[in-house]
Amino acid sequence: MQDLLPFGPAGFLEFYLGILEKLFTTDEFGDREVEVAPHFREWTYRIFANMAQKKPTLLKAARGLGKTTLATTLAAYTLGHNPEGSILLVTSDEDWARDAARLLLGIIGDQPRWKYFFPHVVPDTDRAWGVEAAWLKRDDMPYEIWRQKVGDRMDPTIKCASYSSRIRGMHPHTLVVVDDIHNDENAFSDRELARLKEFVHAEFRYTLQPHYPFELWTGTPFHEEDVYVDLERAGYDLILTPASVDAEGKPAWPGTPVWPRGLPEEEIAKRFKGDPTGGAIFNREMLCDVTTTQGGQMPFQEYPHGQIGFAWPVWSGVDFASVPEAGARMKNRSHTAISHMTKTPNGQGVVRGGEFGQWTQGQTEEAMLRTQNRFPNFQVMALEVTGKGELFFETIVSRNDKLSTLLPAQAGFKSKIQRLYSELAPHLRNGSLMISDEDTAYLRAARDFCRRFPNVPHQNSAMWDVMDSIYWGWKAMNGELLSPHSNGSGPKKHENPFKLMGASR
């Protein structure tokens, strides 16, 4: 069969249908028309043209259009034609690398279908055949001759790994596929993004020497500073395919689906409707649009911190999360965050500051008392009582009468991103809530979150906790919570929060 399907786009499309779509039932294909999605066909011919010119390719496409399927099937097809070569497939994490390896090994291991195309290319199980590394061989020649063809290289035929694993020393001969190397963590954490870029522009480049295999990168964009933008600037051929297009073929919704069978109009509409940011995340993941000019962002105004009066009234919001013991910091553990909110004499809200950390319950309680006692005109403090916060609130109320300003804050049914986008973002946009321009870790986290939105950080980033504490502080400042617990203290209902300003003069 190999003679009937020379290496090229037409042969690859037949291979794709035969392996994954399982549409052939006879020993010969005859004149049957290849039935593949139009965008998949376009990708194939473009990639093979670039391969002939040794031009690295960047395929950016909406989620659900088959990027990973293309990349994995292309790797298998390439090895079928060139089993003495080697490929490297790089992903964002080890779990996905192992999944990709299982998929690739499964294609080759599906012997009836694989053998239809490449009857003499088989796994070299004596050497290695697993997700960590795999070797191929030809069974139509003596094994000693085959080993002479392969030589004494150390690289296995197939290697799948994450960018953070040890690939130093790998030197693939034939093909490198980098599939969805970005995730929420390495796209929105400054430290992880810098680490990823260091890998891409340094360590990864050395793996390409001395054979300089064909490079294929696939993924969905995240923001205007991600790795994919760097590759575009470096001259990689960009193939851009959104989920739907307008009459001119440009990304648009409403629009015409590019793959009505696999990603139909109803599904695209469902994803748009379910976007908690009003379409901003949809634009990124379905239209591949990450420009910051769209209406879904969270613009804000800065307030000069030198003009904030110390005697202005202060409210606070607390997003609670505890660690078991002091100093038990963990990468994937949430933070406690406490906001310091104030109002100007004209009634505009200002995030004047705050603090956050991975604290024990005792350290959190100390930070709450510190906040309450720091400001002479402190009003109330709202503590989110969802989850562990409820027990923490009950514990404080029952044994600590010093936190006289504490209020319970119930989250309701909205997710964090829905609360921030629908309730907080409008006030940031119109200037009724501003953020101090002071250079502190807390305020930097708040400003960075707003500037990046909807390209939100990883769910374990402290930015989420900071923004949640601002949300609860804003709710407390506007009287949208329950009354303080009745212990004879707390602000009076109609008390003027600016009364201390006159007394302090």
Side-chain angles (χ1 to χ4, degrees):
M1 194 61 195
Q2 203 167 355
D3 292 337
L4 299 179
L5 290 177
F7 186 79
F12 172 69
L13 292 175
E14 288 283 15
F15 176 77
Y16 164 75
L17 286 174
I19 292 293
L20 298 180
E21 296 296 335
K22 304 178 181 178
L23 294 180
F24 73 96
T25 57
T26 64
D27 291 337
E28 299 294 337
F29 283 93
D31 296 327
R32 180 176 57 79
E33 181 182 357
V34 176
E35 298 175 357
V36 294
H39 73 279
F40 205 97
R41 181 189 294 274
E42 292 172 6
W43 292 352
T44 297
Y45 277 87
R46 182 90 161 264
I47 288 170
F48 273 87
N50 287 339
M51 193 180 296
Q53 301 174 30
K54 297 183 178 181
K55 187 172 185 179
T57 303
L58 170 61
L59 170 60
K60 292 204 295 188
R63 300 195 185 279
L65 290 183
K67 301 180 299 296
T68 298
T69 300
L70 170 81
T72 308
T73 314
L74 178 64
Y77 177 76
T78 302
L79 290 175
H81 278 280
N82 185 17
E84 63 268 27
S86 58
I87 65 106
L88 173 64
L89 197 153
V90 184
T91 64
S92 60
D93 61 62
E94 284 302 312
D95 288 340
W96 181 234
R98 285 189 286 269
D99 288 344
R102 292 187 188 99
L103 178 59
L104 184 53
L105 270 57
I107 293 174
I108 299 173
D110 187 351
Q111 290 303 304
R113 299 185 182 279
W114 176 261
K115 280 186 173 295
Y116 186 82
F117 294 96
F118 305 109
H120 299 295
V121 178
V122 298
D124 188 351
T125 55
D126 291 334
R127 196 165 189 184
W129 187 253
V131 295
E132 299 298 332
W135 289 82
L136 289 174
K137 66 180 181 179
R138 293 189 65 93
D139 65 0
D140 58 348
M141 64 176 64
Y143 189 66
E144 295 76 13
I145 296 178
W146 169 252
R147 287 297 299 267
Q148 291 177 9
K149 287 177 63 68
V150 175
D152 58 356
R153 73 164 196 253
M154 299 297 293
D155 289 7
T157 313
I158 300 170
K159 178 66 176 179
C160 301
S162 73
Y163 75 92
S164 58
S165 65
R166 186 184 295 274
I167 68 167
R168 187 181 298 274
M170 294 290 299
H171 300 287
H173 285 64
T174 315
L175 174 68
V176 172
V177 172
V178 185
D179 183 37
D180 274 326
I181 198 170
H182 267 302
N183 55 29
D184 287 343
E185 183 174 3
N186 65 34
F188 302 117
S189 163
D190 291 337
R191 182 169 60 184
E192 286 300 316
L193 179 59
R195 181 184 179 189
L196 174 59
K197 289 196 172 188
E198 181 180 1
F199 163 82
V200 170
H201 299 303
E203 182 177 352
F204 176 78
R205 295 298 151 200
Y206 290 109
T207 68
L208 302 179
Q209 302 171 0
H211 310 295
Y212 297 99
F214 177 67
E215 287 180 69
L216 174 63
W217 294 66
T218 67
T220 302
F222 274 81
H223 52 71
E224 292 174 303
E225 297 177 4
D226 63 21
V227 163
Y228 306 133
V229 173
D230 291 352
L231 299 180
E232 288 183 59
R233 292 170 179 161
Y236 282 55
D237 185 46
L238 173 64
I239 306 173
L240 181 65
T241 308
S244 65
V245 295
D246 60 18
E248 298 179 355
K250 297 180 180 179
W253 181 256
T256 302
V258 301
W259 191 19
R261 178 183 174 189
L263 196 56
E265 183 175 354
E266 298 78 15
E267 178 62 24
I268 300 174
K270 180 180 178 181
R271 297 188 187 188
F272 179 79
K273 184 177 180 181
D275 184 354
T277 65
I281 292 180
F282 174 91
N283 286 347
R284 183 185 80 198
E285 297 197 344
M286 302 305 292
L287 301 183
C288 300
D289 182 1
V290 295
T291 60
T292 55
T293 58
Q294 302 301 314
Q297 307 301 310
M298 196 179 285
F300 64 93
Q301 298 179 33
E302 291 186 326
Y303 193 88
H305 70 277
Q307 297 180 19
I308 298 176
F310 185 64
W312 288 3
V314 173
W315 293 261
S316 181
V318 182
D319 182 63
F320 172 73
S322 67
V323 295
E325 58 185 25
R329 297 187 176 185
M330 298 181 184
K331 179 180 179 181
N332 295 322
R333 186 181 291 276
S334 296
H335 296 66
T336 293
I338 303 177
S339 64
H340 304 159
M341 314 286 291
T342 192
K343 273 188 179 181
T344 70
N346 295 327
Q348 296 168 298
V350 180
V351 184
R352 66 181 297 163
E355 56 181 319
F356 64 91
Q358 291 181 327
W359 301 325
T360 64
Q361 290 191 18
Q363 290 173 321
T364 298
E365 194 170 337
E366 291 175 0
M368 292 166 65
L369 281 168
R370 183 166 62 246
T371 298
Q372 177 186 271
N373 298 332
R374 177 180 178 181
F375 302 101
N377 198 359
F378 191 82
Q379 300 297 299
V380 295
M381 177 180 296
L383 170 67
E384 183 180 0
V385 294
T386 304
K388 293 181 179 180
E390 182 176 6
L391 180 59
F392 182 53
F393 178 83
E394 292 175 354
T395 301
I396 291 179
V397 170
S398 64
R399 68 173 178 79
N400 193 333
D401 59 359
K402 294 180 180 179
L403 280 168
S404 58
T405 60
L406 192 61
L407 296 172
Q410 191 61 250
F413 297 102
K414 289 183 178 180
S415 65
K416 280 190 177 186
I417 195 168
Q418 286 176 316
R419 295 199 302 262
L420 296 178
Y421 177 74
S422 63
E423 298 184 46
L424 196 65
H427 298 285
L428 289 166
R429 283 195 293 267
N430 65 26
S432 56
L433 175 62
M434 296 177 283
I435 301 177
S436 167
D437 64 358
E438 189 174 5
D439 186 20
T440 69
Y442 182 95
L443 291 169
R444 284 197 302 272
R447 292 190 293 260
D448 286 348
F449 184 98
C450 293
R451 290 186 180 115
R452 294 180 177 186
F453 189 87
N455 301 316
V456 291
H458 186 268
Q459 61 183 358
N460 294 316
S461 168
M463 290 184 190
W464 281 109
D465 307 305
V466 166
M467 293 305 298
D468 240 17
S469 68
I470 293 173
Y471 171 83
W472 292 120
W474 172 255
K475 300 285 278 189
M477 185 162 58
N478 288 279
E480 298 179 16
L481 301 171
L482 302 174
S483 299
H485 54 82
S486 55
N487 60 357
S489 61
K492 297 178 182 179
K493 186 174 182 180
H494 300 294
E495 192 172 29
N496 179 6
F498 288 93
K499 69 175 185 178
L500 289 182
M501 291 182 61
S504 66
R505 290 176 182 171

